[in-house]
Coordinates of all heavy atoms in Angstrom, one line a residue:
A286 N 21.0 21.5 46.6 CA 19.7 21.4 47.4 C 19.5 22.6 48.2 O 18.4 23.1 48.3 CB 19.8 20.1 48.2
R287 N 20.5 23.2 48.8 CA 20.4 24.3 49.7 C 20.1 25.6 48.8 O 19.2 26.3 49.2 CB 21.6 24.6 50.4 CG 21.5 25.8 51.4 CD 22.8 26.0 52.2 NE 22.6 27.1 53.2 CZ 22.6 28.3 53.0 NH1 22.7 28.8 51.9 NH2 22.4 29.2 54.0
E288 N 20.6 25.7 47.7 CA 20.2 26.8 46.8 C 18.8 26.8 46.5 O 18.1 27.8 46.3 CB 21.2 26.9 45.6 CG 21.0 28.1 44.8 CD 22.0 28.3 43.7 OE1 23.0 27.5 43.7 OE2 22.1 29.3 43.0
Q289 N 18.3 25.6 46.1 CA 16.9 25.5 45.8 C 16.0 25.8 46.9 O 14.9 26.4 46.8 CB 16.6 24.0 45.2 CG 17.2 23.7 44.0 CD 17.1 22.2 43.6 OE1 17.0 21.3 44.4 NE2 17.0 22.0 42.3
L290 N 16.4 25.4 48.2 CA 15.6 25.7 49.3 C 15.6 27.2 49.5 O 14.6 27.9 49.8 CB 16.2 25.1 50.6 CG 15.6 25.5 51.9 CD1 14.2 25.0 52.0 CD2 16.4 24.8 53.0
V291 N 16.8 27.9 49.3 CA 16.8 29.3 49.5 C 15.9 30.0 48.4 O 15.2 31.0 48.8 CB 18.3 29.9 49.5 CG1 18.3 31.5 49.4 CG2 19.1 29.3 50.6
E292 N 16.0 29.5 47.2 CA 15.2 30.2 46.2 C 13.7 30.0 46.4 O 12.9 30.9 46.3 CB 15.6 29.5 44.8 CG 16.9 30.0 44.3 CD 17.4 29.2 43.1 OE1 16.5 28.5 42.5 OE2 18.4 29.6 42.5
A293 N 13.4 28.8 46.9 CA 11.9 28.6 47.2 C 11.5 29.4 48.3 O 10.3 29.9 48.3 CB 11.7 27.1 47.4
A294 N 12.3 29.5 49.3 CA 11.9 30.4 50.5 C 11.8 31.8 50.2 O 11.0 32.6 50.6 CB 12.8 30.1 51.6
A295 N 12.8 32.3 49.2 CA 12.8 33.6 48.8 C 11.5 34.0 48.1 O 11.1 35.2 48.1 CB 14.0 33.9 48.0
E296 N 10.9 33.1 47.4 CA 9.6 33.4 46.7 C 8.5 33.7 47.6 O 7.6 34.3 47.3 CB 9.2 32.2 45.8 CG 10.2 31.9 44.6 CD 9.8 30.7 43.8 OE1 8.8 30.1 44.2 OE2 10.6 30.3 43.0
L297 N 8.6 33.3 48.9 CA 7.6 33.4 49.8 C 7.9 34.5 50.9 O 7.0 34.8 51.7 CB 7.2 32.2 50.6 CG 6.7 31.1 49.6 CD1 6.7 29.7 50.4 CD2 5.3 31.4 49.0
D298 N 9.1 35.1 50.9 CA 9.4 35.9 52.0 C 10.3 37.1 51.4 O 11.4 36.9 50.9 CB 10.4 35.2 53.0 CG 10.8 36.0 54.2 OD1 9.8 36.3 55.0 OD2 12.0 36.3 54.3
D299 N 9.6 38.3 51.5 CA 10.2 39.4 50.8 C 11.6 39.8 51.3 O 12.5 40.1 50.5 CB 9.3 40.6 50.8 CG 8.1 40.4 50.0 OD1 8.2 39.6 49.0 OD2 7.0 41.0 50.2
P300 N 11.8 39.9 52.7 CA 13.2 40.2 53.2 C 14.3 39.3 52.7 O 15.4 39.7 52.3 CB 13.0 40.1 54.7 CG 11.6 40.3 55.0 CD 10.9 39.7 53.9
L301 N 14.0 38.0 52.6 CA 14.9 37.1 52.1 C 15.2 37.2 50.7 O 16.4 37.1 50.2 CB 14.4 35.6 52.4 CG 15.5 34.5 52.1 CD1 16.7 34.6 53.0 CD2 14.9 33.1 52.1
L302 N 14.1 37.5 49.9 CA 14.3 37.7 48.4 C 15.2 39.0 48.3 O 16.1 38.9 47.3 CB 12.9 37.9 47.8 CG 12.9 38.3 46.3 CD1 13.6 37.1 45.6 CD2 11.5 38.6 45.9
E303 N 15.0 40.0 48.9 CA 15.9 41.2 48.9 C 17.3 40.9 49.1 O 18.2 41.3 48.4 CB 15.4 42.4 49.7 CG 14.1 42.9 49.2 CD 13.6 43.9 50.2 OE1 14.3 44.5 51.0 OE2 12.3 44.3 50.1
K304 N 17.6 40.1 50.2 CA 18.9 39.7 50.5 C 19.5 38.9 49.5 O 20.7 39.0 49.1 CB 18.8 39.0 51.9 CG 20.1 38.4 52.3 CD 21.1 39.4 52.9 CE 22.3 38.7 53.4 NZ 23.4 39.6 53.7
F305 N 18.8 38.0 49.0 CA 19.3 36.9 47.9 C 19.6 37.7 46.7 O 20.6 37.4 46.1 CB 18.2 35.9 47.8 CG 18.5 34.8 46.8 CD1 19.5 33.8 47.2 CD2 18.0 34.7 45.6 CE1 20.0 32.8 46.4 CE2 18.4 33.7 44.6 CZ 19.3 32.8 45.1
L306 N 18.7 38.5 46.2 CA 19.0 39.3 45.0 C 20.1 40.2 45.1 O 21.0 40.4 44.2 CB 17.7 40.0 44.5 CG 16.6 39.0 44.1 CD1 15.4 39.8 43.7 CD2 17.0 38.0 42.9
S307 N 20.2 41.0 46.3 CA 21.2 41.9 46.4 C 22.7 41.4 46.5 O 23.7 41.9 46.2 CB 21.0 42.8 47.7 OG 21.1 42.0 48.8
A308 N 22.7 40.1 47.0 CA 24.0 39.4 47.1 C 24.4 38.6 45.8 O 25.4 38.0 45.7 CB 23.9 38.4 48.3
G309 N 23.5 38.7 44.8 CA 23.6 38.1 43.5 C 23.5 36.5 43.5 O 23.9 35.9 42.6
G310 N 22.7 36.1 44.4 CA 22.4 34.7 44.5 C 23.5 33.8 44.9 O 24.5 34.2 45.4
G311 N 23.5 32.5 44.7 CA 24.5 31.6 45.0 C 24.4 31.1 46.4 O 23.5 31.4 47.2
L312 N 25.3 30.1 46.8 CA 25.2 29.4 48.0 C 25.5 30.3 49.2 O 25.1 30.0 50.3 CB 26.1 28.2 48.1 CG 25.7 27.0 47.2 CD1 26.8 26.0 47.0 CD2 24.3 26.5 47.6
D313 N 26.3 31.4 49.0 CA 26.8 32.3 50.2 C 25.9 33.5 50.3 O 26.2 34.4 51.1 CB 28.2 32.6 49.9 CG 29.2 31.4 50.0 OD1 28.9 30.5 50.7 OD2 30.2 31.4 49.3
A314 N 24.8 33.5 49.5 CA 24.0 34.7 49.5 C 23.2 35.0 50.9 O 23.0 36.0 51.3 CB 23.0 34.7 48.4
V315 N 22.8 33.8 51.4 CA 22.0 33.9 52.6 C 22.7 33.0 53.7 O 23.1 31.8 53.4 CB 20.6 33.4 52.4 CG1 19.8 33.4 53.6 CG2 19.9 34.3 51.4
S316 N 22.8 33.4 55.0 CA 23.5 32.6 56.0 C 22.3 31.7 56.6 O 21.2 31.8 56.4 CB 23.9 33.6 57.2 OG 22.8 34.1 57.9
P317 N 22.8 30.6 57.2 CA 21.9 29.7 57.8 C 20.8 30.3 58.8 O 19.7 29.9 58.8 CB 22.8 28.6 58.5 CG 24.0 28.7 57.8 CD 24.2 30.1 57.4
E318 N 21.3 31.3 59.6 CA 20.5 32.0 60.5 C 19.4 32.8 59.7 O 18.2 32.8 60.2 CB 21.3 32.9 61.4 CG 22.2 32.2 62.3 CD 23.5 31.7 61.7 OE1 23.9 32.3 60.6 OE2 24.2 30.8 62.2
E319 N 19.7 33.4 58.7 CA 18.8 34.2 57.9 C 17.8 33.3 57.2 O 16.6 33.6 57.0 CB 19.6 35.0 56.7 CG 20.4 36.1 57.4 CD 21.2 36.8 56.4 OE1 21.7 36.1 55.4 OE2 21.5 38.0 56.4
L320 N 18.3 32.1 56.8 CA 17.3 31.2 56.2 C 16.3 30.6 57.2 O 15.1 30.6 56.9 CB 18.1 29.9 55.5 CG 17.3 28.9 54.8 CD1 16.4 29.5 53.7 CD2 18.2 27.8 54.3
M321 N 16.8 30.3 58.4 CA 15.9 29.8 59.4 C 14.9 30.9 59.8 O 13.7 30.6 60.1 CB 16.7 29.3 60.6 CG 17.3 28.0 60.4 SD 16.3 26.6 60.0 CE 15.7 26.2 61.6
A322 N 15.4 32.1 60.0 CA 14.4 33.2 60.3 C 13.4 33.3 59.2 O 12.2 33.6 59.4 CB 15.2 34.5 60.4
A323 N 13.8 33.3 57.9 CA 12.7 33.3 56.8 C 11.8 32.1 56.9 O 10.5 32.3 56.6 CB 13.5 33.4 55.5
L324 N 12.3 30.9 57.1 CA 11.4 29.8 57.2 C 10.4 29.9 58.4 O 9.2 29.5 58.3 CB 12.2 28.5 57.4 CG 13.0 28.1 56.2 CD1 13.8 26.9 56.5 CD2 12.0 27.7 55.0
R325 N 10.9 30.6 59.4 CA 10.0 30.8 60.6 C 8.9 31.8 60.3 O 7.7 31.6 60.5 CB 10.7 31.4 61.8 CG 10.0 31.9 62.9 CD 9.9 31.0 64.1 NE 9.2 31.6 65.2 CZ 8.2 31.2 65.8 NH1 7.7 30.0 65.4 NH2 7.6 31.8 66.7
R326 N 9.3 32.9 59.5 CA 8.3 33.8 59.1 C 7.2 33.3 58.2 O 6.1 33.5 58.2 CB 9.0 35.0 58.4 CG 9.7 35.9 59.4 CD 10.1 37.2 58.7 NE 11.1 37.0 57.5 CZ 12.4 37.0 57.7 NH1 12.9 37.1 58.9 NH2 13.1 36.8 56.6
I327 N 7.8 32.3 57.3 CA 6.8 31.7 56.3 C 5.9 30.7 57.1 O 4.7 30.8 56.8 CB 7.7 30.9 55.3 CG1 8.4 31.8 54.4 CG2 6.7 30.0 54.5 CD1 9.4 31.2 53.5
T328 N 6.3 30.0 58.0 CA 5.4 29.0 58.8 C 4.6 29.7 59.7 O 3.4 29.2 60.0 CB 6.2 27.9 59.6 OG1 7.1 28.6 60.4 CG2 7.0 27.1 58.5
V329 N 4.8 30.9 60.2 CA 4.0 31.6 61.2 C 2.8 32.4 60.5 O 1.9 32.6 61.1 CB 4.9 32.5 62.1 CG1 4.1 33.4 62.9 CG2 5.8 31.7 62.9
K330 N 3.0 32.7 59.3 CA 2.1 33.5 58.4 C 0.8 32.8 58.6 O 0.8 31.5 58.6 CB 2.4 33.6 57.0 CG 3.5 34.6 56.7 CD 3.7 34.7 55.2 CE 4.9 35.6 54.8 NZ 5.1 35.6 53.4
E331 N -0.3 33.4 58.6 CA -1.7 32.9 58.7 C -1.9 32.0 57.4 O -2.4 30.9 57.5 CB -2.7 34.1 58.8 CG -4.1 33.4 59.0 CD -4.3 32.7 60.4 OE1 -3.6 33.1 61.3 OE2 -5.1 31.8 60.4
R332 N -1.6 32.6 56.3 CA -1.7 31.7 55.0 C -0.4 31.9 54.3 O 0.0 32.8 53.8 CB -2.8 32.4 54.2 CG -4.2 32.1 54.7 CD -5.2 32.6 53.8 NE -6.5 32.3 54.3 CZ -7.1 32.8 55.4 NH1 -6.5 33.8 56.1 NH2 -8.4 32.4 55.7
A333 N 0.3 30.8 54.4 CA 1.8 30.7 53.9 C 1.9 30.4 52.4 O 2.9 30.2 52.0 CB 2.6 29.7 54.7
G334 N 0.7 30.5 51.7 CA 0.8 30.3 50.4 C 1.2 28.9 49.9 O 1.7 28.7 48.9
G335 N 0.7 28.0 50.7 CA 1.0 26.6 50.4 C 2.4 26.1 51.0 O 2.7 24.9 50.6
A336 N 3.1 26.8 51.7 CA 4.4 26.4 52.1 C 4.3 25.5 53.4 O 3.5 25.8 54.3 CB 5.3 27.7 52.5
V337 N 4.9 24.4 53.3 CA 4.9 23.4 54.4 C 6.3 23.0 54.6 O 7.0 22.5 53.6 CB 4.0 22.2 54.2 CG1 4.1 21.2 55.2 CG2 2.6 22.6 54.0
V338 N 6.9 23.1 55.8 CA 8.2 22.7 56.1 C 8.2 21.2 56.3 O 7.5 20.7 57.1 CB 8.8 23.4 57.3 CG1 10.2 22.9 57.5 CG2 8.9 24.9 57.0
V339 N 9.0 20.4 55.6 CA 9.0 19.0 55.7 C 10.5 18.6 56.3 O 11.4 19.0 55.8 CB 8.8 18.3 54.4 CG1 8.9 16.8 54.5 CG2 7.5 18.7 53.8
L340 N 10.5 17.8 57.4 CA 11.6 17.3 58.0 C 11.7 15.8 57.8 O 10.7 15.1 58.0 CB 11.5 17.7 59.5 CG 11.4 19.1 59.8 CD1 11.0 19.3 61.3 CD2 12.6 20.0 59.3
L341 N 12.9 15.3 57.7 CA 13.1 13.9 57.5 C 14.0 13.3 58.6 O 14.9 14.1 59.0 CB 13.7 13.6 56.1 CG 12.9 14.0 54.9 CD1 13.7 13.8 53.6 CD2 11.6 13.4 54.8
G342 N 13.7 12.1 58.9 CA 14.6 11.5 59.9 C 14.2 10.1 60.1 O 13.3 9.6 59.4
A343 N 14.7 9.4 61.0 CA 14.3 8.0 61.4 C 14.5 7.8 62.9 O 15.3 8.4 63.6 CB 15.3 7.0 60.7
A344 N 13.4 7.1 63.4 CA 13.5 6.8 64.8 C 14.5 5.6 65.1 O 14.9 5.6 66.3 CB 12.1 6.4 65.3
F345 N 14.8 4.9 64.2 CA 15.8 3.8 64.4 C 17.0 4.4 64.8 O 17.7 5.2 64.1 CB 16.0 3.0 63.1 CG 16.9 1.9 63.3 CD1 16.6 0.7 64.0 CD2 18.1 1.9 62.5 CE1 17.5 -0.3 64.1 CE2 19.0 0.9 62.7 CZ 18.7 -0.2 63.5
K346 N 17.6 4.1 66.1 CA 18.8 4.6 66.5 C 18.8 6.1 66.7 O 19.9 6.8 66.7 CB 20.0 4.2 65.8 CG 20.2 2.7 65.8 CD 21.6 2.3 65.1 CE 21.7 0.8 65.2 NZ 23.0 0.4 64.6
D347 N 17.6 6.8 66.8 CA 17.4 8.2 66.9 C 18.2 9.0 65.9 O 18.6 10.1 66.3 CB 17.8 8.6 68.3 CG 17.0 8.0 69.4 OD1 15.7 7.9 69.2 OD2 17.4 7.7 70.5
K348 N 18.2 8.5 64.7 CA 18.8 9.3 63.6 C 17.9 10.4 63.2 O 16.8 10.1 62.6 CB 19.1 8.5 62.4 CG 20.1 7.4 62.7 CD 21.5 7.9 63.1 CE 22.5 6.8 63.4 NZ 23.7 7.3 63.9
G349 N 18.2 11.7 63.4 CA 17.3 12.8 63.0 C 16.3 13.2 64.0 O 15.6 14.1 63.6
V350 N 16.1 12.5 65.1 CA 15.0 12.9 66.0 C 15.3 14.2 66.6 O 14.4 15.0 66.6 CB 14.8 11.8 67.0 CG1 13.7 12.2 68.0 CG2 14.3 10.4 66.3
Q351 N 16.5 14.4 67.2 CA 16.7 15.7 67.8 C 16.8 16.8 66.9 O 16.1 17.8 67.2 CB 18.1 15.5 68.6 CG 18.3 16.7 69.5 CD 17.2 16.8 70.7 OE1 16.9 15.8 71.2 NE2 16.5 17.9 70.8
P352 N 17.4 16.7 65.7 CA 17.2 17.9 64.8 C 15.8 18.1 64.4 O 15.3 19.3 64.2 CB 18.1 17.5 63.6 CG 19.0 16.5 64.0 CD 18.3 15.7 65.2
A353 N 15.0 17.2 64.2 CA 13.5 17.3 64.0 C 12.8 18.1 65.1 O 12.1 19.1 64.9 CB 12.9 16.1 63.7
M354 N 13.1 17.7 66.3 CA 12.5 18.3 67.5 C 13.0 19.7 67.6 O 12.2 20.7 67.9 CB 12.8 17.6 68.7 CG 12.1 16.2 68.8 SD 10.5 16.1 68.6 CE 9.8 16.8 70.2
D355 N 14.3 20.0 67.3 CA 14.8 21.4 67.4 C 14.1 22.3 66.3 O 13.8 23.4 66.6 CB 16.3 21.4 67.2 CG 17.0 20.8 68.4 OD1 16.5 20.7 69.5 OD2 18.2 20.4 68.2
S356 N 13.9 21.7 65.2 CA 13.4 22.5 64.1 C 11.9 22.8 64.4 O 11.3 23.9 64.0 CB 13.4 21.7 62.8 OG 14.8 21.6 62.4
I357 N 11.1 21.9 65.0 CA 9.8 22.1 65.4 C 9.7 23.2 66.3 O 8.9 24.2 66.1 CB 9.2 20.8 66.0 CG1 8.9 19.8 64.9 CG2 7.9 21.1 66.8 CD1 8.5 18.4 65.5
I358 N 10.6 23.3 67.3 CA 10.7 24.4 68.2 C 11.0 25.7 67.6 O 10.4 26.8 67.8 CB 11.6 24.1 69.4 CG1 11.0 22.9 70.2 CG2 11.9 25.3 70.2 CD1 12.1 22.4 71.2
R359 N 11.9 25.7 66.7 CA 12.4 26.9 66.0 C 11.5 27.4 64.9 O 11.4 28.7 64.7 CB 13.8 26.7 65.3 CG 14.9 26.5 66.4 CD 16.2 26.2 65.8 NE 16.8 27.2 65.0 CZ 17.8 27.2 64.3 NH1 18.5 26.0 64.2 NH2 18.3 28.2 63.7
L360 N 10.7 26.6 64.3 CA 10.0 27.0 63.0 C 8.5 27.1 63.2 O 7.8 28.1 62.7 CB 10.2 26.0 61.9 CG 11.6 25.9 61.4 CD1 11.7 24.8 60.3 CD2 12.1 27.3 60.8
L361 N 7.9 26.2 64.0 CA 6.5 26.2 64.1 C 5.9 27.2 65.1 O 6.5 27.6 66.0 CB 5.9 24.8 64.6 CG 6.3 23.7 63.6 CD1 5.7 22.4 64.0 CD2 5.7 24.0 62.1
P362 N 4.7 27.8 64.9 CA 4.2 28.9 65.7 C 3.8 28.3 67.1 O 3.4 27.2 67.2 CB 3.0 29.3 65.0 CG 2.6 28.1 64.1 CD 3.8 27.4 63.8
S363 N 4.1 29.1 68.0 CA 3.7 28.9 69.5 C 2.3 29.5 69.7 O 1.8 30.2 68.7 CB 4.6 29.6 70.5 OG 4.4 30.9 70.5
P364 N 1.5 29.2 70.7 CA 0.3 29.7 70.9 C 0.4 31.2 71.0 O -0.7 31.9 70.6 CB -0.2 29.2 72.3 CG 0.5 27.8 72.3 CD 1.9 28.1 71.7
L365 N 1.5 31.8 71.4 CA 1.6 33.3 71.5 C 1.7 34.0 70.1 O 1.4 35.1 69.9 CB 2.8 33.7 72.2 CG 2.8 33.1 73.7 CD1 4.2 33.6 74.4 CD2 1.7 33.7 74.5
D366 N 1.9 33.2 69.1 CA 2.0 33.6 67.7 C 0.7 33.8 67.0 O 0.6 34.2 65.9 CB 2.9 32.8 66.8 CG 4.4 32.9 67.3 OD1 4.8 33.9 67.9 OD2 5.2 31.9 67.1
R367 N -0.3 33.2 67.6 CA -1.6 33.1 67.0 C -2.6 33.9 67.8 O -2.4 34.2 68.9 CB -2.1 31.6 67.1 CG -1.4 30.6 66.3 CD -1.7 30.9 64.9 NE -1.0 30.0 64.0 CZ -0.7 30.2 62.8 NH1 -1.1 31.4 62.2 NH2 -0.1 29.4 62.0
P368 N -3.7 34.4 67.1 CA -4.7 35.2 67.8 C -5.4 34.3 68.8 O -5.5 33.1 68.7 CB -5.7 35.5 66.6 CG -5.4 34.6 65.5 CD -4.0 34.2 65.6
P369 N -6.0 35.0 69.8 CA -6.8 34.3 70.8 C -7.9 33.6 70.2 O -8.5 34.0 69.3 CB -7.2 35.4 71.8 CG -6.8 36.7 71.2 CD -6.0 36.5 70.1
V370 N -8.2 32.5 70.8 CA -9.4 31.7 70.4 C -10.6 32.3 71.1 O -10.7 32.5 72.3 CB -9.2 30.2 70.7 CG1 -10.4 29.4 70.5 CG2 -8.0 29.6 70.1
T371 N -11.7 32.4 70.3 CA -12.9 33.0 70.9 C -13.8 31.8 71.4 O -13.9 30.8 70.7 CB -13.7 33.9 70.0 OG1 -13.9 33.1 68.8 CG2 -12.8 35.1 69.7
A372 N -14.5 32.0 72.5 CA -15.3 31.0 73.0 C -16.7 30.9 72.3 O -17.0 31.9 71.6 CB -15.6 31.2 74.4
V373 N -17.4 29.9 72.3 CA -18.8 29.7 71.7 C -19.7 30.6 72.5 O -19.6 30.7 73.7 CB -19.2 28.3 71.8 CG1 -20.5 28.2 71.2 CG2 -18.1 27.5 71.1
P374 N -20.5 31.5 71.7 CA -21.4 32.3 72.5 C -22.4 31.6 73.4 O -22.7 30.3 73.1 CB -22.2 33.0 71.3 CG -21.3 32.7 70.0 CD -20.5 31.5 70.3
A375 N -22.8 32.2 74.4 CA -23.7 31.5 75.4 C -24.9 31.1 74.7 O -25.5 31.8 73.9 CB -24.0 32.5 76.5
G376 N -25.4 29.9 75.0 CA -26.6 29.3 74.4 C -26.4 28.6 73.1 O -27.2 27.9 72.5
A377 N -25.2 28.7 72.4 CA -24.9 28.1 71.3 C -24.5 26.6 71.5 O -23.9 26.3 72.6 CB -23.8 28.8 70.5
A378 N -24.7 25.7 70.6 CA -24.3 24.3 70.9 C -22.9 24.1 70.4 O -22.4 24.7 69.5 CB -25.3 23.4 70.0
A379 N -22.2 23.3 71.2 CA -20.8 23.0 70.9 C -20.6 21.5 71.3 O -21.3 20.9 72.2 CB -19.9 23.8 71.8
A380 N -19.7 20.9 70.5 CA -19.5 19.5 70.7 C -18.1 19.2 70.2 O -17.5 19.8 69.4 CB -20.5 18.6 69.9
A381 N -17.6 18.0 70.7 CA -16.2 17.6 70.4 C -16.4 16.1 70.2 O -17.0 15.4 71.1 CB -15.1 18.0 71.4
D382 N -15.8 15.6 69.1 CA -15.8 14.1 68.9 C -14.4 13.6 69.1 O -13.4 14.3 68.7 CB -16.2 13.8 67.4 CG -17.7 14.1 67.3 OD1 -18.4 13.9 68.3 OD2 -18.2 14.4 66.2
F383 N -14.2 12.4 69.6 CA -12.9 11.8 69.7 C -13.2 10.3 69.3 O -14.1 9.7 69.6 CB -12.4 11.8 71.2 CG -12.2 13.1 71.7 CD1 -13.2 13.9 72.4 CD2 -11.0 13.8 71.5 CE1 -12.9 15.1 72.8 CE2 -10.7 15.1 71.9 CZ -11.8 15.8 72.6
A384 N -12.2 9.8 68.6 CA -12.2 8.4 68.1 C -11.2 7.8 69.1 O -10.0 8.1 69.1 CB -11.8 8.3 66.7
V385 N -11.6 6.6 69.8 CA -10.7 5.9 70.6 C -10.7 4.6 70.2 O -11.7 4.0 70.0 CB -11.2 6.1 72.1 CG1 -10.3 5.3 73.0 CG2 -11.3 7.5 72.6
E386 N -9.5 4.0 70.0 CA -9.4 2.6 69.6 C -8.6 1.9 70.6 O -7.5 2.3 71.0 CB -8.6 2.5 68.2 CG -8.5 1.2 67.6 CD -7.9 1.2 66.3 OE1 -8.3 2.1 65.5 OE2 -7.1 0.3 66.0
E387 N -9.1 0.8 71.0 CA -8.4 0.0 72.1 C -7.8 -1.2 71.4 O -8.4 -1.9 70.6 CB -9.5 -0.4 73.2 CG -8.9 -1.2 74.3 CD -9.8 -1.5 75.3 OE1 -10.9 -0.6 75.5 OE2 -9.8 -2.5 76.0
A388 N -6.6 -1.4 71.7 CA -5.9 -2.6 71.2 C -6.4 -3.9 71.9 O -6.6 -4.0 73.0 CB -4.3 -2.4 71.5
A389 N -6.5 -4.9 71.0 CA -7.1 -6.1 71.5 C -5.9 -7.0 72.1 O -4.8 -6.9 71.8 CB -7.8 -6.9 70.4

């Protein structure tokens, strides 16, 4: 499974692809740190080519919750990784909709 993950990530990240091919492939071709760095570059890209990082876990007895939270912090972009948001020009209409459901 790890080799498939590395191969899939290498298709979307040129530095990882070069490292993977120069090492001859295999499980030892890429370190866990290099893989996480590549996954971060892939998720931070404006258009990642359809790449979505999927994390699995269960809230029952907190199995996998902490690794999922750690991965969110390590992989997903922060506001500093994104371009600034521009405001709506003066005089233009702007609205926001919210759906609120109250439990009976």
Side-chain angles (χ1 to χ4, degrees):
R287 184 178 187 281
E288 189 169 359
Q289 291 173 330
L290 175 63
V291 171
E292 289 175 3
E296 291 177 8
L297 299 170
D298 186 67
D299 292 336
L301 184 68
L302 179 61
E303 290 175 18
K304 171 77 174 171
F305 183 71
L306 293 176
S307 67
L312 291 175
D313 298 329
V315 178
S316 71
E318 294 79 19
E319 292 169 327
L320 179 59
M321 287 301 280
L324 290 174
R325 168 103 173 124
R326 287 190 298 270
I327 291 167
T328 57
V329 170
K330 283 182 187 177
E331 187 64 33
R332 288 182 176 74
V337 176
V338 176
V339 178
L340 305 169
L341 301 174
F345 181 68
K346 296 186 180 181
D347 292 330
K348 299 293 182 190
V350 173
Q351 192 60 50
M354 296 301 289
D355 292 341
S356 295
I357 288 169
I358 291 169
R359 291 173 69 184
L360 296 176
L361 297 182
S363 77
L365 299 175
D366 295 327
R367 295 290 183 199
V370 177
T371 57
V373 177
D382 289 330
F383 297 94
V385 179
E386 185 175 318
E387 187 174 322

